[in-house]
């Protein structure tokens, strides 16, 4: 899916542009247009994807249980899937609420724990679903960064006397 840019109110030249969010584009800025429709469809999609992933995991676990390896191995397998789902859900929640920069320690490991994140995909999708019920996932982070950039831009503009491209008074060339 391509990242669509929804029209936003006219901003002065040089004002920062909002970053698009997956599935929402930049509709999160003004919360207009199809934002509300996407706020309904994204959680439903995440829940359906979690159900599909849980079904695939169930087939995999049942395939191993057919081998009749014993109750201990089956219990260990179910516990491993549950732990991977919990870890992936915690990581996804932190990623959506605090950003990638906040991931430290084992949560920041993408390569070495990649299998854990794949097996725990159900937990990750459920965390995405729960976050999507509150806001567009990652919207709070994007909004904070965007508002900070707008404030910085406004301070820079008012420091120039409100007129872009002009020097502050008393800062002209020195007379000799």
């Amino acid at each position: 899916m391509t990242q669509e840019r929804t029209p936003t109110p006219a901003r002065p030249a040089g004002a920062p542009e909002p970053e698009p969010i997956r599935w929402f584009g930049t509709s999160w800025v003004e919360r207009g247009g199809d934002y509300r429709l996407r706020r309904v469809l994204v959680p439903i999609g995440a829940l359906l994807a979690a159900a599909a992933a849980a079904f695939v995991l169930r087939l995999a676990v049942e395939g191993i249980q057919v081998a009749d390896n014993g109750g201990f191995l089956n219990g260990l397998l179910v516990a491993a899937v549950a732990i991977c789902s919990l870890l992936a859900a915690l990581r996804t929640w932190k990623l959506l609420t605090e950003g990638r920069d906040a991931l430290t320690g084992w949560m920041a490991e993408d390569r070495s724990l990649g299998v854990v994140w794949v097996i725990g995909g159900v937990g990750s999708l459920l965390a995405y679903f729960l976050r999507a019920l509150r806001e567009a996932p990652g919207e709070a982070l994007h909004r904070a960064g965007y508002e900070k950039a707008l404030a910085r831009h406004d301070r820079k503009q008012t420091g120039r006397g409100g007129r872009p491209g002009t020097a502050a008074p008393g800062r002209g060339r020195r007379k000799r």
Side-chain angles (χ1 to χ4, degrees):
M1 181 176 200
T2 60
Q3 296 295 327
E4 304 167 358
R5 293 204 182 262
T6 57
T8 56
R11 284 187 291 279
E17 290 289 323
E19 298 238 354
I21 297 176
R22 180 179 292 166
W23 313 116
F24 290 89
T26 58
S27 65
W28 59 269
V29 176
E30 296 297 322
R31 294 183 175 173
D34 55 351
Y35 175 80
R36 295 196 191 292
L37 177 65
R38 291 178 188 207
R39 283 286 314 276
V40 171
L41 293 178
V42 166
I44 291 171
L47 193 58
L48 290 174
F55 179 72
V56 168
L57 273 176
R58 180 177 177 222
L59 289 178
V61 169
E62 284 181 359
I64 293 174
Q65 288 175 345
V66 167
D68 199 25
N69 291 323
F72 178 73
L73 184 62
N74 292 338
L76 195 61
L77 179 64
V78 169
V81 169
I83 289 171
C84 288
S85 291
L86 176 68
L87 293 176
L90 289 172
R91 181 179 190 264
T92 300
W93 189 266
K94 186 165 183 138
L95 187 67
L96 293 174
T97 56
E98 299 176 26
R100 184 165 292 280
D101 296 336
L103 297 180
T104 59
W106 61 269
M107 284 189 180
E109 293 293 325
D110 282 334
R111 296 190 88 138
S112 61
L113 292 176
V115 174
V116 172
W117 308 144
V118 170
I119 293 172
V122 173
S124 182
L125 286 167
L126 288 175
Y128 194 88
F129 164 74
L130 291 173
R131 193 65 191 171
L133 289 176
R134 182 162 186 251
E135 67 177 9
E139 179 182 344
L141 287 172
H142 282 76
R143 188 169 299 283
Y146 180 61
E147 287 174 357
K148 187 185 292 184
L150 281 177
R152 189 171 42 244
H153 176 73
D154 288 345
R155 278 194 313 268
K156 187 188 303 183
Q157 293 302 317
T158 57
R160 295 179 181 165
R163 295 176 294 163
T166 60
R171 301 267 181 176
R173 289 189 163 191
R174 183 180 269 173
K175 295 179 183 178
R176 292 182 184 212

